[in-house]
Amino acid sequence: QITMDDGADLVSEIKFAKKYFDFVEITLKYNLNGYSKEYLRKIKSTINSFEVLGHIHWEVDITKKGSFKKILENIKIYKFLGAKIITIHLPICSHSHLENSRIEVFKTLESASTYCQKNKIQLSVENNPKPPFDSPTEFIHLFAVNKNLSMTLDIGHAYRVSQKESQKFL
């Protein structure tokens, strides 16, 4: 996974990945201002026909009002780069805010997954190491509400919850 917050040069990182890997997963910076059309064309040219996955920055909090705009900006960039799968992080929140957070998460994911589906992109949600989206039960409920979603299983996150929980996910 290439995460741009670590100061990496995206073009050289993609060239390296193309030599040694089957695909690359890119996490853009939280602040998208540095991604000019010219720079994105250069990245796309470097990717060429190489498989690319998108990973929306973990600081994008989908429980916050206005987060859909930020998510949509990311999706549009990943679509331009040729990503067919984009992972989004679910929030970690306290029990006192749990129900309101769930409602906002479901609404935002519905909008984002509908947009992705129209653009032939699979939106995938990643499990967390902390509640509420840290158990298979939560994901069963989430997928019952939104059938367009898939899952990016972070086995390290699942294992941090418990070894038993990671086995339940599998």
Side-chain angles (χ1 to χ4, degrees):
Q1 177 182 20
I2 300 172
T3 302
M4 293 315 304
D5 285 347
D6 62 12
D9 170 44
L10 188 51
V11 172
S12 63
E13 295 287 335
I14 292 168
K15 287 178 181 177
F16 177 84
K18 288 173 79 171
K19 280 185 180 178
Y20 300 105
F21 301 101
D22 296 328
F23 66 92
V24 64
E25 181 183 74
I26 299 172
T27 302
L28 300 171
K29 292 180 181 181
Y30 178 79
N31 183 342
L32 299 174
N33 291 339
Y35 299 103
S36 66
K37 289 182 182 183
E38 181 182 314
Y39 184 49
L40 289 172
R41 280 193 292 271
K42 186 176 180 181
I43 294 168
K44 184 177 177 79
S45 171
T46 304
I47 291 170
N48 195 7
S49 61
F50 192 59
E51 184 176 1
V52 62
L53 308 176
H55 199 122
I56 295 175
H57 199 281
W58 49 90
E59 288 182 25
V60 175
D61 184 348
I62 67 175
T63 64
K64 303 283 189 225
K65 298 280 186 213
S67 65
F68 181 67
K69 181 181 178 207
K70 185 86 164 171
I71 292 165
L72 198 57
E73 289 170 349
N74 274 266
I75 293 170
K76 287 177 180 179
I77 291 173
Y78 288 127
K79 178 183 178 200
F80 175 76
L81 296 177
K84 301 290 184 210
I85 301 171
I86 299 172
T87 297
I88 189 167
H89 284 260
L90 297 173
I92 295 173
C93 55
S94 66
H95 286 286
S96 62
H97 295 90
L98 192 57
E99 203 49 47
N100 288 339
S101 293
R102 249 194 212 106
I103 292 166
E104 194 60 36
V105 165
F106 289 0
K107 285 189 332 188
T108 302
L109 287 176
E110 180 63 34
S111 299
S113 66
T114 298
Y115 180 84
C116 283
Q117 188 177 31
K118 288 178 184 174
N119 287 279
K120 297 179 176 38
I121 297 169
Q122 179 60 55
L123 186 62
S124 186
V125 290
E126 183 174 331
N127 59 305
N128 284 327
K130 295 181 180 177
F133 297 100
D134 63 340
S135 73
T137 305
E138 282 293 331
F139 283 90
I140 289 168
H141 178 65
L142 181 63
F143 296 141
V145 172
N146 188 329
K147 303 210 183 303
N148 295 328
L149 295 172
S150 65
M151 181 176 196
T152 297
L153 177 61
D154 186 320
I155 196 68
H157 287 177
Y159 196 79
R160 280 183 58 194
V161 174
S162 76
Q163 186 174 3
K164 186 177 178 182
E165 207 61 28
S166 63
Q167 290 170 352
K168 285 181 187 177
F169 269 114
L170 294 174

